[in-house]
Amino acid sequence: MSTGDLLNIHPIELKFPFELKKQSSCSMQLTNKSDKYVAFKVKTTNPRKYCVRPNTGIVMPGSTCSVTVTMQAQKEAPSDMQCKDKFLLQSVVVPDGTTTKGITSEMFNKEGDKVVEEFKLRVVYIPANPPSPVPEESDEGSSPPRPSVLENGNQDSSLLDAVSRTLEEPKEKSFETWSLISRLTEEKTSALQQNQKLQHELELMRKQISKKHAGGFSLLVVFLVGLFGILVGYIFK
């Protein structure tokens, strides 16, 4: 806690749980230890990165005000997880009855005998999900780890084998199904090509047969006409 003549500030460091692409917030408590109205204002070296609510306000005598600071989602993490951003909290005595709407920036100007208290707060990143501690094994006085046993008496190894098979079987079935579909597709394509080839050959055979029939019919007609002429000539001779 930081103590001045006007306000107590807790905490004096803004600790943000850091997690990529997620907003993070922390809060601080401002307690008025005087018997006068105190106005405060919060500034930061990186205003685009943080949102302070409220960033200005009035703390009445003996009361406490909570200030929430929200850090916008970050796309990259510092290599050393250190942050150089700073916050400045200014406080000044104002006339009794002053409201938040009546606060102006000129109130925090250091002019003449006016006392403006200033506190600098630094930003600290902390892991969002700290790793759980791993219990250390003692050499003596500790009982050996009890194996997990299923209802049918099998140990963890059997369970792991079953899980492994369950995970592997879908992959094998998926591979076999894909191979079958691929083979059937190739066979279907080959059958279509063979069918087209047979239809083409059949069409050629039909054309050849038609030509042969047409030629044979013509010769037969000529032969019959000639025979008929000979018979007629023989009769009328």
Side-chain angles (χ1 to χ4, degrees):
M1 178 182 295
S2 178
T3 301
D5 293 334
L6 301 178
L7 297 178
N8 287 341
I9 305 169
H10 178 76
I12 59 175
E13 292 181 340
L14 298 178
K15 297 181 179 181
F16 292 93
F18 189 90
E19 189 171 0
L20 288 178
K21 300 181 180 180
K22 286 189 177 182
Q23 286 187 349
S24 179
S25 299
C26 67
S27 61
M28 56 181 172
Q29 306 296 321
L30 309 180
T31 302
N32 187 350
K33 56 185 291 187
S34 71
D35 57 355
K36 300 178 181 180
Y37 277 58
V38 175
F40 71 89
K41 183 176 184 179
V42 182
K43 298 180 180 180
T44 178
T45 57
N46 196 344
R48 294 185 178 181
K49 184 177 178 181
Y50 301 96
C51 177
V52 182
R53 292 290 182 272
N55 62 340
T56 59
I58 298 291
V59 187
M60 292 185 291
S63 64
T64 300
C65 177
S66 179
V67 177
T68 301
V69 183
T70 302
M71 181 177 67
Q72 303 301 321
Q74 300 298 300
K75 297 181 180 180
E76 297 180 357
S79 57
D80 54 359
M81 287 299 288
Q82 300 295 318
C83 182
K84 297 181 180 179
D85 299 332
K86 297 290 188 300
F87 280 82
L88 177 67
L89 175 65
Q90 295 177 307
S91 58
V92 64
V93 174
V94 293
D96 292 353
T98 303
T99 63
T100 301
K101 293 182 179 180
I103 297 176
T104 62
S105 58
E106 287 77 12
M107 291 181 176
F108 301 94
N109 293 336
K110 297 179 181 180
E111 299 175 347
D113 297 334
K114 183 190 298 184
V115 177
V116 179
E117 289 188 349
E118 294 184 341
F119 294 93
K120 294 181 180 179
L121 301 94
R122 71 189 190 97
V123 176
V124 177
Y125 292 153
I126 59 176
N129 298 310
S132 57
V134 179
E136 297 181 356
E137 297 181 358
S138 58
D139 295 336
E140 297 180 4
S142 61
S143 59
R146 183 179 62 183
S148 300
V149 180
L150 301 178
E151 293 180 357
N152 60 359
N154 292 331
Q155 294 184 353
D156 286 346
S157 58
S158 300
L159 176 61
L160 292 174
D161 292 341
V163 172
S164 299
R165 287 195 301 270
T166 304
L167 293 174
E168 291 175 357
E169 285 176 359
K171 295 181 180 179
E172 295 177 356
K173 291 181 179 179
S174 177
F175 179 76
E176 293 176 358
T177 302
W178 175 255
S179 299
L180 179 60
I181 293 174
S182 179
R183 187 170 68 253
L184 291 175
T185 302
E186 292 178 357
E187 292 179 356
K188 179 180 179 181
T189 303
S190 179
L192 290 174
Q193 293 176 352
Q194 188 68 19
N195 186 27
Q196 292 177 355
K197 183 178 180 181
L198 290 175
Q199 289 181 354
H200 180 68
E201 293 179 355
L202 181 60
E203 186 66 26
L204 291 177
M205 291 178 64
R206 285 178 180 175
K207 290 181 179 180
Q208 292 178 358
I209 292 172
S210 298
K211 289 181 180 180
K212 289 181 180 180
H213 285 178
F217 178 77
S218 299
L219 292 175
L220 180 60
V221 171
V222 172
F223 176 75
L224 291 177
V225 171
L227 180 61
F228 180 74
I230 293 174
L231 292 175
V232 171
Y234 179 77
I235 292 173
F236 291 97
K237 185 176 177 182

PDB file of all heavy atoms in Angstrom, residues 108-136:
ATOM      1  N   PHE A 108      -5.526  19.843 -11.640  1.00  0.00           N
ATOM      2  CA  PHE A 108      -4.322  19.063 -11.358  1.00  0.00           C
ATOM      3  C   PHE A 108      -3.041  19.797 -11.774  1.00  0.00           C
ATOM      4  O   PHE A 108      -1.966  19.204 -11.784  1.00  0.00           O
ATOM      5  CB  PHE A 108      -4.415  17.706 -12.068  1.00  0.00           C
ATOM      6  CG  PHE A 108      -5.609  16.902 -11.638  1.00  0.00           C
ATOM      7  CD1 PHE A 108      -6.802  16.958 -12.349  1.00  0.00           C
ATOM      8  CD2 PHE A 108      -5.563  16.105 -10.510  1.00  0.00           C
ATOM      9  CE1 PHE A 108      -7.912  16.229 -11.954  1.00  0.00           C
ATOM     10  CE2 PHE A 108      -6.662  15.369 -10.107  1.00  0.00           C
ATOM     11  CZ  PHE A 108      -7.846  15.431 -10.824  1.00  0.00           C
ATOM     12  N   ASN A 109      -3.191  21.056 -12.153  1.00  0.00           N
ATOM     13  CA  ASN A 109      -2.005  21.862 -12.464  1.00  0.00           C
ATOM     14  C   ASN A 109      -1.353  22.326 -11.159  1.00  0.00           C
ATOM     15  O   ASN A 109      -2.036  22.779 -10.235  1.00  0.00           O
ATOM     16  CB  ASN A 109      -2.388  23.076 -13.313  1.00  0.00           C
ATOM     17  CG  ASN A 109      -2.862  22.674 -14.695  1.00  0.00           C
ATOM     18  OD1 ASN A 109      -2.516  21.599 -15.184  1.00  0.00           O
ATOM     19  ND2 ASN A 109      -3.658  23.542 -15.317  1.00  0.00           N
ATOM     20  N   LYS A 110      -0.055  22.222 -11.110  1.00  0.00           N
ATOM     21  CA  LYS A 110       0.678  22.659  -9.914  1.00  0.00           C
ATOM     22  C   LYS A 110       0.933  24.161 -10.004  1.00  0.00           C
ATOM     23  O   LYS A 110       1.845  24.621 -10.683  1.00  0.00           O
ATOM     24  CB  LYS A 110       2.004  21.897  -9.820  1.00  0.00           C
ATOM     25  CG  LYS A 110       1.836  20.398  -9.646  1.00  0.00           C
ATOM     26  CD  LYS A 110       3.172  19.686  -9.590  1.00  0.00           C
ATOM     27  CE  LYS A 110       2.998  18.184  -9.449  1.00  0.00           C
ATOM     28  NZ  LYS A 110       4.299  17.468  -9.396  1.00  0.00           N
ATOM     29  N   GLU A 111       0.109  24.897  -9.324  1.00  0.00           N
ATOM     30  CA  GLU A 111       0.213  26.353  -9.354  1.00  0.00           C
ATOM     31  C   GLU A 111       0.235  26.899  -7.922  1.00  0.00           C
ATOM     32  O   GLU A 111      -0.585  26.494  -7.086  1.00  0.00           O
ATOM     33  CB  GLU A 111      -0.966  26.968 -10.109  1.00  0.00           C
ATOM     34  CG  GLU A 111      -1.053  26.534 -11.560  1.00  0.00           C
ATOM     35  CD  GLU A 111      -2.309  27.062 -12.225  1.00  0.00           C
ATOM     36  OE1 GLU A 111      -3.200  27.552 -11.471  1.00  0.00           O
ATOM     37  OE2 GLU A 111      -2.407  26.985 -13.452  1.00  0.00           O
ATOM     38  N   GLY A 112       1.129  27.803  -7.668  1.00  0.00           N
ATOM     39  CA  GLY A 112       1.192  28.452  -6.367  1.00  0.00           C
ATOM     40  C   GLY A 112       1.361  27.467  -5.228  1.00  0.00           C
ATOM     41  O   GLY A 112       2.256  26.617  -5.236  1.00  0.00           O
ATOM     42  N   ASP A 113       0.477  27.579  -4.243  1.00  0.00           N
ATOM     43  CA  ASP A 113       0.562  26.718  -3.068  1.00  0.00           C
ATOM     44  C   ASP A 113      -0.262  25.440  -3.214  1.00  0.00           C
ATOM     45  O   ASP A 113      -0.373  24.661  -2.254  1.00  0.00           O
ATOM     46  CB  ASP A 113       0.072  27.496  -1.825  1.00  0.00           C
ATOM     47  CG  ASP A 113       0.958  28.705  -1.522  1.00  0.00           C
ATOM     48  OD1 ASP A 113       2.157  28.653  -1.909  1.00  0.00           O
ATOM     49  OD2 ASP A 113       0.456  29.672  -0.922  1.00  0.00           O
ATOM     50  N   LYS A 114      -0.837  25.222  -4.358  1.00  0.00           N
ATOM     51  CA  LYS A 114      -1.661  24.028  -4.541  1.00  0.00           C
ATOM     52  C   LYS A 114      -0.794  22.769  -4.448  1.00  0.00           C
ATOM     53  O   LYS A 114       0.274  22.683  -5.071  1.00  0.00           O
ATOM     54  CB  LYS A 114      -2.360  24.057  -5.898  1.00  0.00           C
ATOM     55  CG  LYS A 114      -3.291  22.865  -6.125  1.00  0.00           C
ATOM     56  CD  LYS A 114      -3.785  22.799  -7.557  1.00  0.00           C
ATOM     57  CE  LYS A 114      -4.604  24.011  -7.923  1.00  0.00           C
ATOM     58  NZ  LYS A 114      -5.172  23.896  -9.286  1.00  0.00           N
ATOM     59  N   VAL A 115      -1.282  21.801  -3.695  1.00  0.00           N
ATOM     60  CA  VAL A 115      -0.554  20.533  -3.541  1.00  0.00           C
ATOM     61  C   VAL A 115      -1.246  19.455  -4.380  1.00  0.00           C
ATOM     62  O   VAL A 115      -2.433  19.166  -4.166  1.00  0.00           O
ATOM     63  CB  VAL A 115      -0.507  20.100  -2.058  1.00  0.00           C
ATOM     64  CG1 VAL A 115       0.187  18.745  -1.938  1.00  0.00           C
ATOM     65  CG2 VAL A 115       0.191  21.153  -1.207  1.00  0.00           C
ATOM     66  N   VAL A 116      -0.488  18.900  -5.313  1.00  0.00           N
ATOM     67  CA  VAL A 116      -0.992  17.809  -6.146  1.00  0.00           C
ATOM     68  C   VAL A 116      -0.126  16.583  -5.879  1.00  0.00           C
ATOM     69  O   VAL A 116       1.057  16.562  -6.234  1.00  0.00           O
ATOM     70  CB  VAL A 116      -0.964  18.173  -7.649  1.00  0.00           C
ATOM     71  CG1 VAL A 116      -1.473  16.989  -8.482  1.00  0.00           C
ATOM     72  CG2 VAL A 116      -1.792  19.419  -7.917  1.00  0.00           C
ATOM     73  N   GLU A 117      -0.707  15.595  -5.233  1.00  0.00           N
ATOM     74  CA  GLU A 117       0.045  14.376  -4.956  1.00  0.00           C
ATOM     75  C   GLU A 117       0.071  13.490  -6.206  1.00  0.00           C
ATOM     76  O   GLU A 117      -0.940  13.364  -6.915  1.00  0.00           O
ATOM     77  CB  GLU A 117      -0.576  13.609  -3.789  1.00  0.00           C
ATOM     78  CG  GLU A 117      -0.383  14.285  -2.452  1.00  0.00           C
ATOM     79  CD  GLU A 117      -0.829  13.407  -1.295  1.00  0.00           C
ATOM     80  OE1 GLU A 117      -1.483  12.368  -1.548  1.00  0.00           O
ATOM     81  OE2 GLU A 117      -0.533  13.753  -0.138  1.00  0.00           O
ATOM     82  N   GLU A 118       1.216  12.874  -6.454  1.00  0.00           N
ATOM     83  CA  GLU A 118       1.375  11.999  -7.623  1.00  0.00           C
ATOM     84  C   GLU A 118       2.007  10.684  -7.188  1.00  0.00           C
ATOM     85  O   GLU A 118       2.977  10.679  -6.409  1.00  0.00           O
ATOM     86  CB  GLU A 118       2.242  12.671  -8.690  1.00  0.00           C
ATOM     87  CG  GLU A 118       1.600  13.916  -9.300  1.00  0.00           C
ATOM     88  CD  GLU A 118       2.440  14.515 -10.419  1.00  0.00           C
ATOM     89  OE1 GLU A 118       3.647  14.196 -10.474  1.00  0.00           O
ATOM     90  OE2 GLU A 118       1.905  15.285 -11.220  1.00  0.00           O
ATOM     91  N   PHE A 119       1.445   9.596  -7.697  1.00  0.00           N
ATOM     92  CA  PHE A 119       1.979   8.261  -7.431  1.00  0.00           C
ATOM     93  C   PHE A 119       2.160   7.544  -8.763  1.00  0.00           C
ATOM     94  O   PHE A 119       1.247   7.546  -9.605  1.00  0.00           O
ATOM     95  CB  PHE A 119       1.035   7.463  -6.530  1.00  0.00           C
ATOM     96  CG  PHE A 119       0.909   8.014  -5.150  1.00  0.00           C
ATOM     97  CD1 PHE A 119      -0.116   8.906  -4.833  1.00  0.00           C
ATOM     98  CD2 PHE A 119       1.816   7.668  -4.168  1.00  0.00           C
ATOM     99  CE1 PHE A 119      -0.237   9.419  -3.562  1.00  0.00           C
ATOM    100  CE2 PHE A 119       1.701   8.189  -2.883  1.00  0.00           C
ATOM    101  CZ  PHE A 119       0.671   9.065  -2.587  1.00  0.00           C
ATOM    102  N   LYS A 120       3.310   6.962  -8.941  1.00  0.00           N
ATOM    103  CA  LYS A 120       3.594   6.199 -10.147  1.00  0.00           C
ATOM    104  C   LYS A 120       3.394   4.711  -9.854  1.00  0.00           C
ATOM    105  O   LYS A 120       3.880   4.188  -8.843  1.00  0.00           O
ATOM    106  CB  LYS A 120       5.019   6.442 -10.628  1.00  0.00           C
ATOM    107  CG  LYS A 120       5.254   7.879 -11.093  1.00  0.00           C
ATOM    108  CD  LYS A 120       6.679   8.071 -11.593  1.00  0.00           C
ATOM    109  CE  LYS A 120       6.901   9.502 -12.059  1.00  0.00           C
ATOM    110  NZ  LYS A 120       8.289   9.721 -12.540  1.00  0.00           N
ATOM    111  N   LEU A 121       2.687   4.051 -10.743  1.00  0.00           N
ATOM    112  CA  LEU A 121       2.424   2.616 -10.613  1.00  0.00           C
ATOM    113  C   LEU A 121       2.951   1.906 -11.848  1.00  0.00           C
ATOM    114  O   LEU A 121       2.715   2.358 -12.984  1.00  0.00           O
ATOM    115  CB  LEU A 121       0.928   2.337 -10.455  1.00  0.00           C
ATOM    116  CG  LEU A 121       0.219   2.990  -9.267  1.00  0.00           C
ATOM    117  CD1 LEU A 121      -0.399   4.317  -9.692  1.00  0.00           C
ATOM    118  CD2 LEU A 121      -0.868   2.071  -8.716  1.00  0.00           C
ATOM    119  N   ARG A 122       3.642   0.814 -11.644  1.00  0.00           N
ATOM    120  CA  ARG A 122       4.161   0.061 -12.785  1.00  0.00           C
ATOM    121  C   ARG A 122       3.278  -1.154 -13.077  1.00  0.00           C
ATOM    122  O   ARG A 122       2.499  -1.600 -12.225  1.00  0.00           O
ATOM    123  CB  ARG A 122       5.607  -0.388 -12.535  1.00  0.00           C
ATOM    124  CG  ARG A 122       5.786  -1.477 -11.504  1.00  0.00           C
ATOM    125  CD  ARG A 122       7.252  -1.690 -11.189  1.00  0.00           C
ATOM    126  NE  ARG A 122       7.481  -2.881 -10.368  1.00  0.00           N
ATOM    127  CZ  ARG A 122       7.844  -4.058 -10.868  1.00  0.00           C
ATOM    128  NH1 ARG A 122       8.047  -4.193 -12.162  1.00  0.00           N
ATOM    129  NH2 ARG A 122       8.031  -5.089 -10.068  1.00  0.00           N
ATOM    130  N   VAL A 123       3.407  -1.668 -14.293  1.00  0.00           N
ATOM    131  CA  VAL A 123       2.602  -2.799 -14.762  1.00  0.00           C
ATOM    132  C   VAL A 123       3.422  -4.076 -14.667  1.00  0.00           C
ATOM    133  O   VAL A 123       4.599  -4.106 -15.061  1.00  0.00           O
ATOM    134  CB  VAL A 123       2.125  -2.574 -16.212  1.00  0.00           C
ATOM    135  CG1 VAL A 123       1.377  -3.789 -16.736  1.00  0.00           C
ATOM    136  CG2 VAL A 123       1.243  -1.339 -16.277  1.00  0.00           C
ATOM    137  N   VAL A 124       2.800  -5.125 -14.162  1.00  0.00           N
ATOM    138  CA  VAL A 124       3.467  -6.418 -14.027  1.00  0.00           C
ATOM    139  C   VAL A 124       2.595  -7.482 -14.689  1.00  0.00           C
ATOM    140  O   VAL A 124       1.382  -7.535 -14.449  1.00  0.00           O
ATOM    141  CB  VAL A 124       3.694  -6.787 -12.547  1.00  0.00           C
ATOM    142  CG1 VAL A 124       4.329  -8.173 -12.436  1.00  0.00           C
ATOM    143  CG2 VAL A 124       4.561  -5.742 -11.867  1.00  0.00           C
ATOM    144  N   TYR A 125       3.229  -8.304 -15.548  1.00  0.00           N
ATOM    145  CA  TYR A 125       2.524  -9.424 -16.158  1.00  0.00           C
ATOM    146  C   TYR A 125       2.708 -10.669 -15.297  1.00  0.00           C
ATOM    147  O   TYR A 125       3.818 -10.976 -14.856  1.00  0.00           O
ATOM    148  CB  TYR A 125       3.059  -9.719 -17.559  1.00  0.00           C
ATOM    149  CG  TYR A 125       2.757  -8.641 -18.581  1.00  0.00           C
ATOM    150  CD1 TYR A 125       3.590  -8.450 -19.683  1.00  0.00           C
ATOM    151  CD2 TYR A 125       1.642  -7.829 -18.458  1.00  0.00           C
ATOM    152  CE1 TYR A 125       3.325  -7.474 -20.620  1.00  0.00           C
ATOM    153  CE2 TYR A 125       1.369  -6.845 -19.388  1.00  0.00           C
ATOM    154  CZ  TYR A 125       2.211  -6.665 -20.469  1.00  0.00           C
ATOM    155  OH  TYR A 125       1.938  -5.708 -21.394  1.00  0.00           O
ATOM    156  N   ILE A 126       1.607 -11.393 -15.087  1.00  0.00           N
ATOM    157  CA  ILE A 126       1.686 -12.668 -14.382  1.00  0.00           C
ATOM    158  C   ILE A 126       1.057 -13.736 -15.258  1.00  0.00           C
ATOM    159  O   ILE A 126       0.161 -13.443 -16.063  1.00  0.00           O
ATOM    160  CB  ILE A 126       0.975 -12.601 -13.008  1.00  0.00           C
ATOM    161  CG1 ILE A 126      -0.506 -12.233 -13.184  1.00  0.00           C
ATOM    162  CG2 ILE A 126       1.670 -11.621 -12.088  1.00  0.00           C
ATOM    163  CD1 ILE A 126      -1.290 -12.236 -11.892  1.00  0.00           C
ATOM    164  N   PRO A 127       1.505 -14.997 -15.167  1.00  0.00           N
ATOM    165  CA  PRO A 127       0.929 -16.062 -15.998  1.00  0.00           C
ATOM    166  C   PRO A 127      -0.559 -16.219 -15.731  1.00  0.00           C
ATOM    167  O   PRO A 127      -1.003 -16.190 -14.581  1.00  0.00           O
ATOM    168  CB  PRO A 127       1.714 -17.309 -15.577  1.00  0.00           C
ATOM    169  CG  PRO A 127       2.971 -16.788 -14.957  1.00  0.00           C
ATOM    170  CD  PRO A 127       2.608 -15.481 -14.314  1.00  0.00           C
ATOM    171  N   ALA A 128      -1.320 -16.368 -16.811  1.00  0.00           N
ATOM    172  CA  ALA A 128      -2.770 -16.525 -16.662  1.00  0.00           C
ATOM    173  C   ALA A 128      -3.121 -17.861 -16.040  1.00  0.00           C
ATOM    174  O   ALA A 128      -4.045 -17.972 -15.239  1.00  0.00           O
ATOM    175  CB  ALA A 128      -3.451 -16.384 -18.027  1.00  0.00           C
ATOM    176  N   ASN A 129      -2.372 -18.924 -16.427  1.00  0.00           N
ATOM    177  CA  ASN A 129      -2.610 -20.267 -15.895  1.00  0.00           C
ATOM    178  C   ASN A 129      -1.312 -20.818 -15.350  1.00  0.00           C
ATOM    179  O   ASN A 129      -0.581 -21.538 -16.046  1.00  0.00           O
ATOM    180  CB  ASN A 129      -3.156 -21.201 -16.982  1.00  0.00           C
ATOM    181  CG  ASN A 129      -4.485 -20.721 -17.513  1.00  0.00           C
ATOM    182  OD1 ASN A 129      -5.395 -20.428 -16.751  1.00  0.00           O
ATOM    183  ND2 ASN A 129      -4.607 -20.639 -18.841  1.00  0.00           N
ATOM    184  N   PRO A 130      -0.954 -20.490 -14.117  1.00  0.00           N
ATOM    185  CA  PRO A 130       0.316 -20.986 -13.564  1.00  0.00           C
ATOM    186  C   PRO A 130       0.314 -22.496 -13.448  1.00  0.00           C
ATOM    187  O   PRO A 130      -0.720 -23.106 -13.158  1.00  0.00           O
ATOM    188  CB  PRO A 130       0.359 -20.330 -12.167  1.00  0.00           C
ATOM    189  CG  PRO A 130      -1.071 -20.030 -11.848  1.00  0.00           C
ATOM    190  CD  PRO A 130      -1.731 -19.717 -13.155  1.00  0.00           C
ATOM    191  N   PRO A 131       1.455 -23.145 -13.732  1.00  0.00           N
ATOM    192  CA  PRO A 131       1.516 -24.610 -13.654  1.00  0.00           C
ATOM    193  C   PRO A 131       1.323 -25.090 -12.227  1.00  0.00           C
ATOM    194  O   PRO A 131       1.751 -24.447 -11.271  1.00  0.00           O
ATOM    195  CB  PRO A 131       2.932 -24.926 -14.170  1.00  0.00           C
ATOM    196  CG  PRO A 131       3.707 -23.672 -13.924  1.00  0.00           C
ATOM    197  CD  PRO A 131       2.739 -22.537 -14.094  1.00  0.00           C
ATOM    198  N   SER A 132       0.642 -26.206 -12.089  1.00  0.00           N
ATOM    199  CA  SER A 132       0.414 -26.772 -10.767  1.00  0.00           C
ATOM    200  C   SER A 132       1.707 -27.387 -10.258  1.00  0.00           C
ATOM    201  O   SER A 132       2.471 -27.989 -11.018  1.00  0.00           O
ATOM    202  CB  SER A 132      -0.681 -27.835 -10.838  1.00  0.00           C
ATOM    203  OG  SER A 132      -0.326 -28.841 -11.760  1.00  0.00           O
ATOM    204  N   PRO A 133       1.991 -27.243  -8.963  1.00  0.00           N
ATOM    205  CA  PRO A 133       3.234 -27.808  -8.419  1.00  0.00           C
ATOM    206  C   PRO A 133       3.224 -29.325  -8.472  1.00  0.00           C
ATOM    207  O   PRO A 133       2.195 -29.969  -8.274  1.00  0.00           O
ATOM    208  CB  PRO A 133       3.227 -27.297  -6.967  1.00  0.00           C
ATOM    209  CG  PRO A 133       1.790 -27.025  -6.661  1.00  0.00           C
ATOM    210  CD  PRO A 133       1.167 -26.566  -7.963  1.00  0.00           C
ATOM    211  N   VAL A 134       4.401 -29.893  -8.762  1.00  0.00           N
ATOM    212  CA  VAL A 134       4.546 -31.344  -8.837  1.00  0.00           C
ATOM    213  C   VAL A 134       5.095 -31.831  -7.510  1.00  0.00           C
ATOM    214  O   VAL A 134       6.154 -31.384  -7.065  1.00  0.00           O
ATOM    215  CB  VAL A 134       5.503 -31.748  -9.983  1.00  0.00           C
ATOM    216  CG1 VAL A 134       5.658 -33.259 -10.024  1.00  0.00           C
ATOM    217  CG2 VAL A 134       4.983 -31.204 -11.301  1.00  0.00           C
ATOM    218  N   PRO A 135       4.388 -32.737  -6.829  1.00  0.00           N
ATOM    219  CA  PRO A 135       4.879 -33.221  -5.532  1.00  0.00           C
ATOM    220  C   PRO A 135       6.162 -33.995  -5.685  1.00  0.00           C
ATOM    221  O   PRO A 135       6.334 -34.767  -6.638  1.00  0.00           O
ATOM    222  CB  PRO A 135       3.731 -34.133  -5.041  1.00  0.00           C
ATOM    223  CG  PRO A 135       3.002 -34.518  -6.286  1.00  0.00           C
ATOM    224  CD  PRO A 135       3.120 -33.356  -7.232  1.00  0.00           C
ATOM    225  N   GLU A 136       7.106 -33.731  -4.766  1.00  0.00           N
ATOM    226  CA  GLU A 136       8.388 -34.423  -4.807  1.00  0.00           C
ATOM    227  C   GLU A 136       8.266 -35.787  -4.149  1.00  0.00           C
ATOM    228  O   GLU A 136       7.530 -35.974  -3.179  1.00  0.00           O
ATOM    229  CB  GLU A 136       9.450 -33.597  -4.079  1.00  0.00           C
ATOM    230  CG  GLU A 136       9.705 -32.242  -4.739  1.00  0.00           C
ATOM    231  CD  GLU A 136      10.771 -31.489  -3.985  1.00  0.00           C
ATOM    232  OE1 GLU A 136      11.234 -31.988  -2.954  1.00  0.00           O
ATOM    233  OE2 GLU A 136      11.138 -30.390  -4.449  1.00  0.00           O
TER     234      GLU A 136
END
